[in-house]
Amino acid sequence: MYTHEDLAALQAQSLKMQGFIRRQTFSPEHEKTLRRFSSWEVAELIFKINQSTFRGRLAADPDLPGGEVEEDGRQRWFSLTEINELRRKMKINRTSLMPKRPAGKRAIRVAISNFKGGAGKSTVALHMAHAAALDGYRVLVVDFDPQATLTHSMGLHDVSEDLTVWGIIARDLVRETDRMNAMPQAAESGTALPQRRLPASVRDLGLGDLRVTDFIRPTAWPTIDIVPSCANAAFVEFASAQYRHLNPDWSFFAAVSRYLDALSADAYDLILFDCPPAIGYQSMNAVFAADVLYIPSGPGYWEYDSTTSFIGQLSEALEDLAHGFDGTFPAGKMRLPKAFLDLRFLMTRYEPGNELHRAMLEAFRKVFGDTVCNEPIEMTRAVEQSGRFLSSVYEIDYRTMTRETWRRARASFDRAYEEFRACFLDAWAKMEDEQ
């Protein structure tokens, strides 16, 4: 017989092991730190220029960051902050190294979502965030998943549930209820609207008074911030159902969208959502706030089956929202029915030499057509290692393995990112100046 006390004891034991793993994985201070990048990586893999050209520019301009030099003097190593300073100051053939970014438009938002656990959602979110940061973009990641894999991979562990997506949703309930109660009443408008009352158990949390920035935490990457998650935030689905009962007119699915609308338009360039493997209050907030829907799937039949179920149930949920809130949905930047600027299916854990994997990729392309990404993410030893050590391929120092093994893994993610970047740049072009 096992009770809740036994489960609590098992969790405590597991938390001790988590602490041990962090000590082995992160710095002695138990904090994740970002490594430096060699001049070879900066030149050929980040700036896409010849090494001799890069060295020549550094020698010609002493005002440029010089990085740290190895003891033998053969290699320079640069921090991401120094790389971004080089990006701002250097030009190649009179061309800026700054990433493309349309003026006057807010950050593009991408939800990475599917039913299937293990489809690679967190891995894709982590790698695309890191690749975009190395490309010069400012990134905000929002972890909607109570498993908090992305949060832990970003180096955060002590997270209060109040400062997760659950807190954002509860904050929105308070603010939206107050807004509705402040609307013109009776003689002013000719209609008498009911006063919606929230219990002290909700108002006394004080979440309605939190600022937008209170939910955002820095990471080891200087140009990546995160709205983190934690295991305690798993009760958001139960709480949200209760909140809907307290105020049936509250557009619960738009809470995160309203939150992000309050950010400065140029605060970030890219906002990535890591979604839980289910359709619920959190995932619906993510897909509703997203401009682009990215759906990762492994190469197996059951993953294909799960993906098919996911898009079917998501379609029904979005249709229900469009009808259920018709006429009561607040005007502004949000629109019903929900429409995405782009939709993509991305195959993960792909092995080119596996006949079944090739057949499944072809099946995806036959069914989903041009929405299937051309570049699947390949399964390599370096990718497996990155998962074990809560790091992306970009964070792994290539000197810890053969350079060819590391380059093969990075090349797969680089190709996937280049397609991802083309997707969000195209979505930016489609985006209206004011949404």
Side-chain angles (χ1 to χ4, degrees):
M1 301 287 287
Y2 293 92
T3 69
H4 64 90
E5 294 177 345
D6 297 304
L7 295 175
L10 290 172
Q11 186 210 25
Q13 187 173 329
S14 180
L15 288 174
K16 291 181 180 179
M17 177 58 71
Q18 284 182 346
F20 172 77
I21 293 173
R22 285 201 298 273
R23 287 193 295 274
Q24 305 304 310
T25 306
F26 299 157
S27 67
E29 296 78 22
H30 305 174
E31 294 181 358
K32 190 167 190 175
T33 57
L34 180 60
R35 70 178 179 91
R36 285 179 168 266
F37 299 85
S38 69
S39 56
W40 163 70
E41 291 178 272
V42 175
E44 296 196 1
L45 301 181
I46 298 177
F47 291 162
K48 306 291 195 303
I49 61 176
N50 187 277
Q51 284 193 72
S52 60
T53 300
F54 181 56
R55 294 194 189 102
R57 292 300 178 89
L58 293 179
D61 189 348
D63 291 332
L64 293 175
E68 291 184 356
V69 183
E70 288 182 340
E71 291 183 3
D72 60 13
R74 293 190 303 171
Q75 186 73 274
R76 292 178 182 271
W77 295 81
F78 296 84
S79 68
L80 183 55
T81 299
E82 291 172 326
I83 291 170
N84 284 328
E85 185 177 351
L86 288 167
R87 193 191 306 276
R88 288 192 300 271
K89 293 181 177 180
M90 285 179 58
K91 288 187 177 182
I92 303 298
N93 296 325
R94 299 183 180 180
T95 301
S96 172
L97 295 175
M98 294 296 290
K100 294 181 180 178
R101 209 304 189 184
K105 293 188 178 182
R106 62 162 174 77
I108 206 78
R109 305 171 188 171
V110 182
I112 300 173
S113 186
N114 202 339
F115 266 165
K116 192 79 170 63
K121 294 183 293 294
S122 297
T123 298
V124 170
L126 181 71
H127 281 81
M128 295 308 163
H130 288 173
L134 288 176
D135 204 16
Y137 289 105
R138 298 159 300 166
V139 183
L140 174 66
V141 292
V142 184
D143 194 349
F144 285 82
D145 192 348
Q147 295 177 89
T149 301
L150 183 62
T151 297
H152 296 161
S153 296
M154 287 289 183
L156 280 73
H157 293 274
D158 298 322
V159 177
S160 166
E161 61 264 26
D162 289 354
L163 301 180
T164 65
V165 168
W166 169 75
I168 291 174
I169 292 176
R171 171 183 181 269
D172 187 76
L173 169 67
V174 174
R175 294 191 169 208
E176 280 296 287
T177 300
D178 290 344
R179 181 188 66 80
M180 293 176 185
N181 287 339
M183 291 174 66
Q185 298 288 315
E188 297 177 69
S189 64
T191 59
L193 299 178
Q195 286 291 297
R196 303 156 184 88
R197 301 188 183 280
L198 300 180
S201 60
V202 174
R203 287 200 175 273
D204 289 353
L205 292 172
L207 298 177
D209 298 325
L210 290 178
R211 300 162 298 182
V212 171
T213 54
D214 289 335
F215 297 92
I216 298 174
R217 299 270 297 272
T219 72
W221 290 67
T223 51
I224 301 179
D225 291 335
I226 186 172
V227 175
S229 183
C230 67
N232 289 349
F235 67 87
V236 68
E237 298 300 319
F238 304 101
S240 298
Q242 177 192 13
Y243 296 161
R244 286 193 68 190
H245 177 73
L246 295 173
N247 184 353
D249 295 324
W250 171 51
S251 49
F252 65 91
F253 54 89
V256 173
S257 182
R258 279 188 286 264
Y259 167 79
L260 294 175
D261 286 340
L263 291 171
S264 171
D266 63 351
Y268 300 98
D269 305 311
L270 178 65
I271 302 178
L272 285 169
F273 306 148
D274 184 24
C275 301
I279 290 182
Y281 291 97
Q282 293 185 87
S283 56
M284 288 309 297
N285 262 274
V287 299
F288 188 82
D291 304 304
V292 176
L293 183 60
Y294 240 69
I295 304 176
S297 176
Y301 170 77
W302 294 115
E303 291 159 311
Y304 169 77
D305 181 70
S306 178
T307 298
T308 302
S309 297
F310 169 72
I311 59 176
Q313 293 189 36
L314 180 59
S315 170
E316 293 176 0
L318 292 175
E319 182 182 14
D320 288 344
L321 290 179
H323 294 309
F325 282 82
D326 185 30
T328 63
F329 194 65
K333 299 180 180 180
M334 297 163 287
R335 298 288 185 270
L336 285 177
K338 171 63 185 177
F340 301 101
L341 296 175
D342 209 338
L343 167 69
R344 297 296 174 94
F345 295 85
L346 172 65
M347 184 161 286
T348 59
R349 305 197 324 277
Y350 180 72
E351 298 174 10
N354 188 309
E355 185 176 348
L356 174 61
H357 290 193
R358 294 198 304 270
M360 289 306 301
L361 180 56
E362 186 60 27
F364 266 80
R365 287 170 174 163
K366 284 182 178 179
V367 174
F368 302 121
D370 292 340
T371 61
V372 178
C373 294
N374 293 320
E375 299 293 344
I377 293 176
E378 296 182 18
M379 173 56 72
T380 67
R381 189 173 68 84
V383 172
E384 291 180 314
Q385 184 169 326
S386 73
R388 286 199 301 272
F389 290 99
L390 299 176
S391 300
S392 75
V393 168
Y394 300 104
E395 292 177 301
I396 294 176
D397 191 323
Y398 58 82
R399 294 171 296 180
T400 62
M401 61 184 73
T402 65
R403 185 180 292 197
E404 184 56 36
T405 299
W406 180 85
R407 286 202 69 166
R408 181 186 166 198
R410 166 153 184 166
S412 178
F413 280 106
D414 282 349
R415 292 191 299 269
Y417 169 71
E418 287 172 6
E419 196 168 3
F420 177 73
R421 177 180 58 197
C423 174
F424 72 71
L425 287 176
D426 183 60
W428 246 330
K430 297 175 184 175
M431 182 189 289
E432 298 175 7
D433 289 337
E434 187 66 38
Q435 288 196 340

